[in-house]
Amino acid sequence: MTNDFKKKKSQKEQTFGDVMRSQGVSRRSFLKFCAATASMMAMSPAMIPKIAHALENARRPSVIWLSFQECTGCTESLTRAHTATIESLIFDHISLDYHHTLQAAAGHAAEEAREAAMEENYGKYLLVVDGSIPMGNPGYSTIAGISNYDMLMETAKGAAAIIAVGTCATYGGIPHANPNPTGAVSVNDLIKDKPIINVPGCPPIPVVITGVLTHFLTFGTIPELDHLGRPKVFYGQSIHDRCYRRPFYDKGLFAETFDDEGAKKGWCLYKLGCKGPTTYNACATTKWNNGTSWPIEAGHPCLGCSEPDFWDGGGFYKSLSMPTENITQTAIYTAAGAVAAGVAIGAMNKSKKNSAIAAHDKTTIDDLEK
Ligand code: SF4
Ligand code: SF4
């Protein structure tokens, strides 16, 4: 047994509260994180103390992370946090017993760690998978001489739940794109008897991955999923419905090229191929790089990376044909002032609601801190 693995075993006794205290995270910061988690997951402020209590006392679950046909972008996404956030602590301090990109162990020691974690935590560990599984030939992708298919089936047996991270694990992704030379399939195509949470994106948003882990740590359950197995709290609305350029779409104001006046004025990117109207993801609200920006804010259309077959979907810069009628209809509304009024009322309500939630959260945090 390696020293790394022994160290992890003693760390497993710690609760998340112990981990936070050892890292110098203040109680107020922790409670703010719980309030933000409640808001992000559309829960009532009354849940904040429950989240705080459950998370503080949560023991670290064993996590085995398998990477198959992938580009390491999903792992890169998670490990590129700019500052030490509680989200990153949640990721850093889960008991990541096996991750062949991040672990120190190599060769036989690495495989021993995976087997020991499976045996010790049978029925309780979380299995995270990124990458697709090649079914054309077992030799296309192997780890320690074991085919991806065999490793997935063996490790999935004792898992409490599986998180398929990234578009390759959730739908087959780029390896699955036409002509799919390796016969790539998703986790969902192979495993039918375990709860699977799909967290698609190329790569997925880090806060969405940690949000799913937080939900599991807090409630011991998986979040409510949509028809594609994605957590509804993050994938319940389209990019288009939450896009800050939406008022331009509603007014029929579009950039026609990447450097015209419309592009400079920040108009809608629909005619440049934006797939926001048919893409469900949280980029427009959580953004990327600790909330700094996101692709549409940087002037690039959404590619639809969290949807099945996005790579084969007809061209990244070719506009969708579907919503043309909506544009006309919405433009008529706009002319009548209905949308403007609706947006104004919606914005007022939203701002009142946000202030009410913020005030409520602050009161709750103040009360809990006493
Ligand atoms: S089409 Fe794209 S850029 Fe335009 S409003 Fe929708 S999501 Fe935003
Ligand atoms: S904006 Fe669209 S393509 Fe870009 S990361 Fe978000 S969902 Fe994926």
Side-chain angles (χ1 to χ4, degrees):
M1 191 180 290
T2 64
N3 284 340
D4 267 3
F5 192 62
K6 276 184 197 156
K7 195 171 150 207
K8 279 212 182 291
K9 273 185 80 176
S10 63
Q11 285 173 344
K12 274 179 195 167
E13 305 308 314
Q14 292 181 316
T15 62
F16 187 66
D18 296 331
V19 171
M20 279 189 314
R21 281 185 285 278
S22 71
Q23 295 289 320
V25 175
S26 74
R27 178 140 183 88
R28 189 164 188 86
S29 304
F30 172 60
L31 292 172
K32 276 188 183 166
F33 169 77
C34 294
T37 301
S39 295
M40 186 171 72
M41 302 218 171
M43 292 171 182
S44 102
M47 289 301 291
I48 299 170
K50 289 185 184 151
I51 293 173
H53 180 76
L55 202 49
E56 204 167 5
N57 293 296
R59 296 221 173 260
R60 307 161 86 194
S62 168
V63 176
I64 297 177
W65 184 309
L66 302 178
S67 295
F68 298 140
Q69 291 194 128
E70 44 82 38
C71 66
T72 317
C74 298
T75 298
E76 285 284 338
S77 172
L78 259 177
T79 54
R80 293 292 158 188
H82 285 217
T83 53
T85 58
I86 295 181
E87 289 95 320
S88 67
L89 274 187
I90 283 184
F91 177 65
D92 287 347
H93 295 280
I94 55 176
S95 190
L96 196 53
D97 287 321
Y98 180 91
H99 186 309
H100 68 229
T101 309
L102 300 178
Q103 70 197 2
H108 292 300
E111 284 316 298
E112 275 173 27
R114 182 176 68 87
E115 282 157 19
M118 282 164 53
E119 197 182 311
E120 266 186 36
N121 304 290
Y122 197 85
K124 290 188 282 193
Y125 59 85
L126 269 180
L127 172 60
V128 180
V129 180
D130 66 330
S132 62
I133 304 96
M135 298 301 287
N137 182 323
Y140 282 151
S141 177
T142 62
I143 301 164
I146 306 169
S147 74
N148 290 170
Y149 172 79
D150 286 344
M151 189 173 276
L152 173 65
M153 299 317 267
E154 184 192 7
T155 317
K157 261 187 215 154
I162 302 174
I163 307 179
V165 168
T167 294
C168 297
T170 50
Y171 315 125
I174 294 172
H176 174 82
N178 187 38
N180 190 0
T182 64
V185 298
S186 69
V187 173
N188 218 14
D189 287 327
L190 298 173
I191 309 280
K192 303 290 178 192
D193 59 349
K194 294 281 171 186
I196 298 176
I197 309 160
N198 280 335
V199 183
C202 191
I205 305 168
V207 76
V208 172
I209 305 175
T210 49
V212 171
L213 288 171
T214 304
H215 192 285
F216 189 81
L217 276 173
T218 307
F219 303 108
T221 57
I222 63 173
E224 196 186 346
L225 306 177
D226 72 3
H227 68 292
L228 291 174
R230 305 175 292 196
K232 277 187 180 170
V233 285
F234 299 112
Y235 297 89
Q237 280 181 284
S238 70
I239 294 282
H240 185 60
D241 282 343
R242 294 189 276 194
C243 179
Y244 77 102
R245 295 192 191 225
R246 178 64 182 267
F248 295 114
Y249 173 97
D250 287 338
K251 287 180 181 154
L253 297 172
F254 302 100
E256 304 277 344
T257 65
F258 282 102
D259 57 357
D260 67 6
E261 276 309 299
K264 286 176 193 155
K265 287 177 179 164
W267 290 357
C268 172
L269 303 171
Y270 169 81
K271 290 192 177 176
L272 294 172
C274 186
K275 306 295 184 294
T278 53
T279 303
Y280 290 75
N281 204 343
C283 307
T285 41
T286 62
K287 301 192 182 181
W288 284 81
N289 300 325
N290 291 335
T292 307
S293 186
W294 62 297
I296 287 177
E297 194 171 337
H300 196 280
C302 169
L303 304 179
C305 76
S306 55
E307 298 301 314
D309 299 322
F310 86 103
W311 200 262
D312 291 330
F316 289 162
Y317 300 104
K318 194 170 162 223
S319 63
L320 293 164
S321 51
M322 179 199 75
T324 315
E325 293 153 26
N326 292 350
I327 294 170
T328 317
Q329 276 179 358
T330 321
I332 293 164
Y333 264 129
T334 309
V339 164
V343 167
I345 292 165
M348 260 166 54
N349 287 343
K350 197 174 163 206
S351 136
K352 274 189 202 157
K353 196 173 154 205
N354 285 348
S355 334
I357 290 173
H360 193 151
D361 287 358
K362 186 173 179 314
T363 312
T364 313
I365 290 168
D366 287 345
D367 288 347
L368 287 168
E369 235 195 342
K370 281 173 196 159

